[in-house]
Amino acid sequence: MEITLIRHGRSSQMDNHRMNSREFKKWVEIYNRLGILEGETCSSDAIEKGSSASFLLTSDLKRSIESAKSINPSAKIQTDPLFRETELPIPADKFPGMRLKPNTWAVVLRLLWLCGYSQGCESYRDAKLRAKHASSTLTSIAKEHHFAVLVGHGFFNHLIARELQEAGWIGKRKTGSKHWNADTYIF
C-alpha cells in the first residue's frame, strides 16, 4: 500500500507588503479564496504519483483543487474539508500598530499557535486529532485501492505524515514547505 502527500502549488495571492493584523486577516481570507498562480507547473514527482491515479483527494480549498487538476486533469477530484490546512489565530485587534510581511505574520502566529494560543481557530491539539482521523481515512482508502494520493497543504500534510509514521508507515518527509512537494509512505 502507498500513500502520497503532495503540497498544493503556489497561491495567486502575491501581495507581500507590510500590513497590520487586521490587514493580514483579510490577506488570509483572499489567500483561502484564490487558486494557484497562473502558469504554475507541478514537479515531476507530483506528476509521477498523481498521473496514474483515477482519483485524487484534496481539501475543499481552491488552491488544493486546482493543483490536483493540474497534476492529473482526467482524475476524479474528491474534496473533503478534513484535509484543510490548519488555521492561524489572527488577533485582529491585539496588534494594530505592528506591521509585518505575510510570511512573517504566518511564522509568528504559527509559533503562538504551537504554544497554545488558538483564539478564533482550531487548537494545535484538535488539529493533531484531525490529522489522526485524516491518516486513518487515507489508510482505509489505501487498503481498498492499494494507494491514496492527497493534494493538500504544507503544515497539515506534515501532521498527517507524523501520524502515518507513528502507525508504522515508512517514508521520509522532504522539505515540506516546498510547493508541489510529494512525500510517499509505504506500508
Side-chain angles (χ1 to χ4, degrees):
M1 291 186 299
E2 183 177 284
I3 295 175
T4 300
L5 306 175
I6 301 171
R7 185 176 183 215
H8 63 78
R10 289 183 300 153
S11 171
S12 60
Q13 167 58 304
M14 299 302 286
D15 193 0
N16 195 30
H17 69 280
R18 292 181 183 274
M19 54 189 72
N20 64 32
S21 59
R22 285 188 195 109
E23 293 167 327
F24 180 67
K25 182 178 182 176
K26 288 180 181 153
W27 185 94
V28 169
E29 290 168 3
I30 293 168
Y31 180 79
N32 283 336
R33 205 172 45 243
L34 294 177
I36 59 173
L37 192 62
E38 191 173 324
E40 181 79 344
T41 57
C42 40
S43 68
S44 58
D45 57 338
I47 290 173
E48 178 186 326
K49 293 298 180 180
S51 64
S52 60
S54 58
F55 67 95
L56 298 172
L57 302 158
T58 71
S59 81
D60 60 344
L61 293 174
K62 191 172 181 179
R63 63 188 180 271
S64 178
I65 296 166
E66 285 184 0
S67 296
K69 288 178 182 175
S70 177
I71 289 168
N72 185 346
S74 63
K76 180 180 178 197
I77 307 299
Q78 296 179 6
T79 66
D80 191 330
L82 172 66
F83 301 117
R84 266 185 173 237
E85 179 63 292
T86 57
E87 295 178 315
L88 293 170
I90 301 177
D93 298 327
K94 303 287 185 195
F95 306 107
M98 197 172 183
R99 299 185 70 76
L100 303 170
K101 289 189 172 192
N103 284 344
T104 306
W105 272 118
V107 169
V108 167
L109 294 171
R110 181 63 71 209
L111 289 172
L112 287 170
W113 182 77
L114 289 168
C115 291
Y117 178 74
S118 61
Q119 181 177 338
C121 74
E122 174 183 47
S123 70
Y124 180 42
R125 181 179 181 275
D126 288 343
K128 288 194 296 186
L129 290 172
R130 184 165 58 92
K132 188 175 196 74
H133 181 152
S135 72
S136 177
T137 298
L138 290 167
T139 298
S140 294
I141 291 168
K143 281 180 181 174
E144 182 180 342
H145 300 280
H146 306 291
F147 73 93
V149 180
L150 170 64
V151 182
H153 306 273
F155 199 83
F156 195 62
N157 280 2
H158 173 72
L159 293 178
I160 293 171
R162 285 193 348 205
E163 291 297 330
L164 290 171
Q165 289 173 327
E166 284 182 23
W169 288 80
I170 309 284
K172 186 176 180 188
R173 284 205 40 95
K174 299 171 190 144
T175 47
S177 63
K178 276 184 109 174
H179 294 283
W180 300 113
N181 187 49
D183 297 319
T184 300
Y185 298 86
I186 308 289
F187 193 83

